Amino acid sequence: MGINRNPLLESWNTPFNTPPFDRIQTADYEPAFEVAIREQQEAIARIVQNPAAPDFANTIVAIERSGELLERICGVFFNVLNAAADDELMAVSERISPKLTACTNDVYLNNELFERVQAVYAMRDQLELDVEDRKLLDETYRAFQERGATLSAADKDTYRALSEELSLLSLRFEQNALRDKQRFELWLDSDDQLAGLPASIREAAAHRAKEKGRTGWLFTLDAPSYVPFMRYADSRPLRERMYRAYLQIGCKGDEFDNQEIVRRIVNVRLQLANLLGFPDYAAFALSRKMAKDEAHVYRLLNDLLAAYKPVAMDELRAVQDFAVEQTHAPIELMPWDWSYFSEQLKDSRFQINDEMTRPYFSLENVQRGVFGLATRLYGITFQVNSRIPVYHPEVQAYEVYDADGTFLAILYTDFFPRQGKQSGAWMNSVKPQYRDAKGLDSRPQVIVVMNFTRPTDTKPSLLTYDEVETFLHEFGHALHGIFAAGRYASLSGTNVYQDFVELPSQLMENWLRQPEFLDGLAVHYETGERIPADWVQKLVDVSNFNVGYACCRQVSFGLLDMAWHTLKEPFEGNVPAFEKAAWKPAVLLPDVSDTCMSTNFSHLFANGYAAGYYGYKWAEVLDADAFSLFLERGIFSREVARSFRELILSKGGTEDPAELYRRFRGKDPSIDALLKRNGLR
C-alpha cells in the first residue's frame, strides 16, 4: 500500500514551483497548517535562544524569514477559500483561523523576542543600514508595538483574546454574506417580465436556468446578473425586489444575519485601539496611512462633497425630470430607479449603451488589449502555460517575462462567478516576491479574480465598459505584484500604505478614456472590425456622465466607514439606523426602510479596508495627478512608465510612499497640495 502524502508539505515538482492545486484535497489543509505552525514556533524559539547578541541578521531578518512554510500554505488556502469554497472548506477556515491568529500572537507577544527587537532598534543609527533594511527594522519594531508587545501581562491576555475573536468574526461575516447572497434566486417564466432586457441579458439568464436543469430565466445577485437587470428591466416592482434583496444581504434576522457581528467587530476594534493607547480604531489605523489622521480624511471627503454634491444634485434633477417625462406620471425617483432611468437618459444623450458595445469587448479581445498595453508601456510579455496546475478548470496561468526575456512572475486569471466564489473583483498574491537567504530573487505568483459576464451557448463572454474598467483596475494591482523587486516579502508588491495601494490600479483605468487606446482595444468578436470612431468618442464623453453622483456615492461609503471606526464608546444600537445617519450628508435618493449595506460591506468588516475606504478617493486624486504626466509626454511614454515602475511599482513598500511619489512627480503629494492642483481647494 502507498503512503498518503500531503502535497502541501512536499517540495513542489511543478513549473516555477507553483502550487499543485490539482493534487491538494480539503483534508490536506488542517494537518499541513499544524505542521507549519509548529515550524514557525520552532523558528521563533531558535531566535530567542540564540546566544549571540541581537543584531539585524539574527533577529530582524530571522523573524522576517520565519514561517515560510506557513506563508506558502496560507497563499494556497485563502485564495481557494475566496474563489472556490464549499461548506467543508468554510468549516476548515473557521477551525484554523483562531489558530493562525494565536500563532501570530505567539510571535508578537513574546517578551524575549521583543527584547531582542528592541535591542536592535535601539542601535539603529549605528548600524549603517540601507533604506530597505532600515525600513524593515522600523516596520518590525512598529509591528510589535501595534500588536501588543508593550502591554502589561493582563492586557496582553486581553489583546490575545480580542484579536482571536476578531479574526473569527471577520471570517463569519464574509461567509454569512456569501451564503445569504447565493441563496437568492429570481425565476421568471414569461416574456412580459423580461420587458426592457436586451437579448444578451435574456440569453445569459436562460443559460443560468438551463445549468440548473430548468426552463425560464434565472437572475441572481451576482454582478453580471444584478447590474444589467437594474439597468434595463422595465418592471419597477421586480427592480425593487432585486434591490431590496441585495440591500438585505446579512440583514434578515436569520442564521446568516450579520448585524450582531457588525456590532461586535466595531466594539472589538475599539477595545483593541484603546488597549494600544488610541481613542478610536480610526486613529490607530490611520497612523499607518498617508493621510495620517482623521482630520485629513474628513477634509478630503468634505472637500469632495462640497465640490461634487451640487453637480450631483443637478444630475439627480435631470434623471428625475427624464423619469417623469418617460412615465407621464409624478414619479418619485427611488434607488431601484436610478440605474434604469440613468441608463435611458444616457442613451438618449449619447446614443450609445452597453448592448451596442458588448460585441466589441469580448473577453478575449479585452485581455489581449490589456496585456498589450502592459507590453507597450513596460515591454513585458505573457505566455499561457497549461501545464501549471490550477484550482478550477476556468482558471488560466501565464508566465510573465520582462522586456529582456527575464522571467518576472506567474499570473493566474479567474474571470467568472460561480457557487462558492466571493463577489466583486480582486488581486492577491499566491506567493510574494522576495530574495532568499542566498540573495536569489524568488519571483511572485499573483492572481486576478473577477466576476464577469459568462459566455453562453452562442456567444463568448462579452463585457460591458464598466467590466473592462474593472479588468484594468485589477490588472494594475497585478502589475504592482509582478514588478516587485525588494528583498523582503513583507515589504514587497502591494504591501504598501493602504491609501497608496490603489494608485497603480486606478492609474490603469485612465487608458480606457483615451481614444488611442480604446480604438485598438475594441474589436468586434465576429467581424474583426474596429469599433466605429464616433462610438469611441462617445464612450470617452459618457465616462463623465453622472460623475457627481458617482463621487457622492463613494464619499458616502467613506463617511460610513469613518463613522463606524471613530466610535469612542461601545456600540449596541441599531445597525441600519446608524448607517443611514452616517452617510446621510452624501446620499441623494430617498431612504429605504429594512435595508442595510453594512451587513454586506466586506471591505469594512472582512477585507482590511476599515478606516481606509476613503483611500479610493485619495488614490483617485493621486492617479489623476500621476496620469497627467503621461498626458504631457504621451500616453504610451516608455520613459514615464519606466519611472513609474522603478519608483512606485517596484519600490512602493521599501521606502516612504510619499517620498517615492514626490520623486516620481517632482511635486508635493499631500492631500492639500493635490486637491489644490485639481481645483478642489
Side-chain angles (χ1 to χ4, degrees):
M1 295 181 62
I3 299 174
N4 291 328
R5 307 176 72 92
N6 191 325
L8 290 164
L9 299 175
E10 298 175 349
S11 297
W12 292 344
N13 186 24
T14 54
F16 301 96
N17 200 35
T18 49
F21 287 112
D22 55 337
R23 295 175 51 221
I24 298 169
Q25 304 296 316
T26 300
D28 294 326
Y29 287 112
E30 285 185 273
F33 272 121
E34 296 291 346
V35 171
I37 288 171
R38 189 162 57 249
E39 279 198 13
Q40 176 158 39
Q41 291 170 336
E42 292 169 354
I44 295 299
R46 287 193 295 273
I47 298 171
V48 169
Q49 295 163 11
N50 189 339
D55 61 26
F56 181 74
N58 70 22
T59 299
I60 306 303
V61 176
I63 292 171
E64 167 73 13
R65 290 179 176 155
S66 68
E68 288 185 358
L69 177 61
L70 185 58
E71 289 300 317
R72 182 173 85 157
I73 296 169
C74 284
V76 175
F77 178 76
F78 286 103
N79 277 291
V80 176
L81 179 68
N82 288 332
D86 55 21
D87 288 343
E88 186 181 1
L89 201 64
M90 289 183 186
V92 170
S93 70
E94 291 210 21
R95 292 193 296 270
I96 201 63
S97 180
K99 295 179 181 180
L100 292 174
T101 306
C103 180
T104 299
N105 285 335
D106 287 343
V107 174
Y108 290 102
L109 299 179
N110 186 311
N111 291 330
E112 294 172 294
L113 185 63
F114 184 49
E115 287 175 2
R116 293 183 67 93
V117 172
Q118 283 182 304
V120 180
Y121 189 73
M123 55 183 180
R124 59 192 179 279
D125 293 332
Q126 288 77 50
L127 295 178
E128 299 183 353
L129 301 175
D130 65 18
V131 172
E132 188 171 357
D133 285 348
R134 178 61 182 264
K135 176 82 169 183
L136 180 66
L137 174 58
D138 290 345
E139 291 295 313
T140 302
Y141 180 72
R142 188 163 184 174
F144 273 85
Q145 286 185 309
E146 292 175 345
R147 297 184 184 187
T150 61
L151 298 176
S152 67
D155 283 347
K156 283 182 178 179
D157 289 340
T158 302
Y159 180 92
R160 183 183 291 273
L162 289 172
S163 60
E164 290 177 18
E165 180 186 2
L166 183 60
S167 69
L168 192 55
L169 286 168
S170 297
L171 184 65
R172 287 176 177 167
F173 177 95
E174 194 160 44
Q175 293 181 358
N176 280 350
L178 176 64
R179 286 170 165 144
D180 197 14
K181 178 180 76 86
Q182 293 195 331
R183 67 177 170 172
F184 175 84
E185 295 179 336
L186 176 66
W187 288 92
L188 302 182
D189 55 14
S190 71
D191 285 335
D192 292 344
Q193 296 171 305
L194 301 172
L197 291 169
S200 65
I201 305 305
R202 298 185 187 202
E203 183 179 0
H207 186 76
R208 281 190 292 272
K210 182 180 178 181
E211 288 182 325
K212 294 262 187 175
R214 292 176 58 176
T215 58
W217 298 268
L218 172 61
F219 293 89
T220 70
L221 300 181
D222 289 325
S225 178
Y226 176 80
V227 172
F229 191 93
M230 299 303 293
R231 281 183 180 171
Y232 298 115
D234 287 343
S235 173
R236 198 181 190 208
L238 287 177
R239 293 201 310 271
E240 179 179 356
R241 182 176 171 187
M242 287 285 278
Y243 176 86
R244 287 185 179 276
Y246 196 88
L247 268 292
Q248 289 173 349
I249 293 174
C251 192
K252 300 185 183 71
D254 57 14
E255 70 270 29
F256 300 138
D257 192 272
N258 271 334
Q259 293 178 81
E260 181 54 35
I261 291 179
V262 168
R263 281 188 284 266
R264 189 61 190 150
I265 285 176
V266 296
N267 289 341
V268 169
R269 285 174 175 166
L270 174 60
Q271 287 179 270
L272 286 169
N274 290 165
L275 270 178
L276 296 169
F278 293 89
D280 54 51
Y281 186 79
F284 165 68
L286 290 168
S287 68
R288 302 284 286 151
K289 296 180 172 67
M290 292 183 75
K292 300 301 183 187
D293 56 42
E294 297 163 17
H296 281 94
V297 173
Y298 276 115
R299 190 181 305 169
L300 169 69
L301 295 176
N302 290 331
D303 280 355
L304 291 173
L305 194 58
Y308 283 98
K309 190 170 183 178
V311 177
M313 293 302 296
D314 288 342
E315 294 167 348
L316 178 62
R317 282 189 287 270
V319 176
Q320 173 73 61
D321 292 345
F322 181 82
V324 170
E325 177 185 324
Q326 294 298 302
T327 60
H328 307 289
I331 183 175
E332 180 185 22
L333 207 65
M334 297 299 290
W336 48 84
D337 298 318
W338 176 258
S339 292
Y340 178 73
F341 287 111
S342 292
E343 185 68 21
Q344 290 192 14
L345 177 58
K346 182 180 74 173
D347 200 4
S348 70
R349 284 186 181 178
F350 299 97
Q351 288 81 52
I352 197 162
N353 57 53
D354 285 339
E355 295 314 300
M356 295 167 62
T357 59
R358 275 184 190 272
Y360 295 91
F361 291 137
S362 73
L363 178 55
E364 182 180 358
N365 285 341
V366 169
Q367 183 170 331
R368 185 182 302 116
V370 172
F371 284 6
L373 176 60
T375 301
R376 193 164 183 180
L377 290 173
Y378 302 107
I380 63 175
T381 55
F382 303 81
Q383 297 178 16
V384 67
N385 186 337
S386 58
R387 295 182 298 108
I388 293 176
V390 293
Y391 58 81
H392 191 277
E394 293 176 339
V395 177
Q396 184 69 69
Y398 296 84
E399 302 168 20
V400 186
Y401 290 91
D402 212 338
D404 63 0
T406 303
F407 173 73
L408 275 178
I410 295 297
L411 172 67
Y412 297 90
T413 60
D414 183 356
F415 290 127
F416 305 118
R418 56 179 170 267
Q419 193 72 19
K421 186 177 183 180
Q422 295 290 345
S423 60
W426 64 91
M427 168 269 177
N428 204 1
S429 290
V430 177
K431 186 195 85 64
Q433 179 272 336
Y434 61 90
R435 289 190 176 274
D436 65 19
K438 297 179 180 179
L440 298 177
D441 191 3
S442 180
R443 298 308 303 164
Q445 299 165 14
V446 302
I447 183 169
V448 288
V449 185
M450 325 282 186
N451 280 279
F452 287 156
T453 304
R454 276 189 169 278
T456 67
D457 293 336
T458 61
K459 293 183 178 68
S461 175
L462 301 177
L463 307 188
T464 66
Y465 182 89
D466 289 344
E467 287 178 322
V468 178
E469 186 175 70
T470 297
F471 196 146
L472 282 163
H473 180 102
E474 299 306 333
F475 188 72
H477 282 310
L479 290 177
H480 204 168
I482 287 169
F483 286 135
R487 294 191 198 103
Y488 307 112
S490 65
L491 304 180
S492 176
T494 56
N495 289 321
V496 299
Y497 287 176
Q498 196 177 64
D499 45 7
F500 192 71
V501 76
E502 296 298 335
L503 168 60
S505 57
Q506 294 190 181
L507 180 75
M508 289 297 291
E509 297 175 19
N510 286 278
W511 273 272
L512 190 56
R513 292 178 280 278
Q514 302 303 310
E516 189 177 352
F517 171 68
L518 187 55
D519 176 66
L521 175 79
V523 178
H524 199 286
Y525 79 98
E526 289 180 311
T527 67
E529 296 176 353
R530 293 186 182 277
I531 192 170
D534 60 326
W535 287 18
V536 171
Q537 188 57 52
K538 287 178 180 180
L539 283 172
V540 173
D541 293 341
V542 85
S543 65
N544 289 318
F545 179 69
N546 284 346
V547 66
Y549 181 90
C551 181
C552 286
R553 183 172 182 268
Q554 285 294 97
V555 168
S556 75
F557 298 159
L559 291 173
L560 176 62
D561 174 27
M562 291 300 291
W564 280 123
H565 296 108
T566 52
L567 286 167
K568 292 178 173 58
E569 298 293 336
F571 178 78
E572 302 299 339
N574 181 278
V575 172
F578 181 90
E579 171 180 289
K580 294 177 195 309
W583 66 17
K584 185 177 180 180
V587 171
L588 306 179
L589 293 169
D591 171 55
V592 179
S593 61
D594 302 322
T595 61
C596 184
M597 182 178 175
S598 294
T599 52
N600 184 35
F601 206 162
S602 291
H603 271 68
L604 303 193
F605 298 108
N607 292 338
Y609 276 73
Y613 200 85
Y614 76 91
Y616 283 102
K617 298 309 294 180
W618 163 236
E620 188 175 303
V621 177
L622 201 64
D623 85 67
D625 186 68
F627 192 68
S628 67
L629 196 58
F630 281 97
L631 292 176
E632 291 171 14
R633 302 184 186 178
I635 66 168
F636 301 115
S637 169
R638 281 282 185 96
E639 177 189 3
V640 179
R642 181 168 56 252
S643 176
F644 190 77
R645 171 180 174 174
E646 291 175 354
L647 291 173
I648 308 299
L649 298 176
S650 296
K651 296 183 179 179
T654 64
E655 299 184 43
D656 176 69
E659 175 56 30
L660 286 171
Y661 188 80
R662 188 178 292 109
R663 283 155 55 190
F664 166 70
R665 197 65 182 88
K667 295 179 179 180
D668 183 357
S670 70
I671 290 176
D672 289 347
L674 285 171
L675 289 179
K676 185 178 291 185
R677 289 206 293 275
N678 284 274
L680 297 177
R681 178 68 52 78

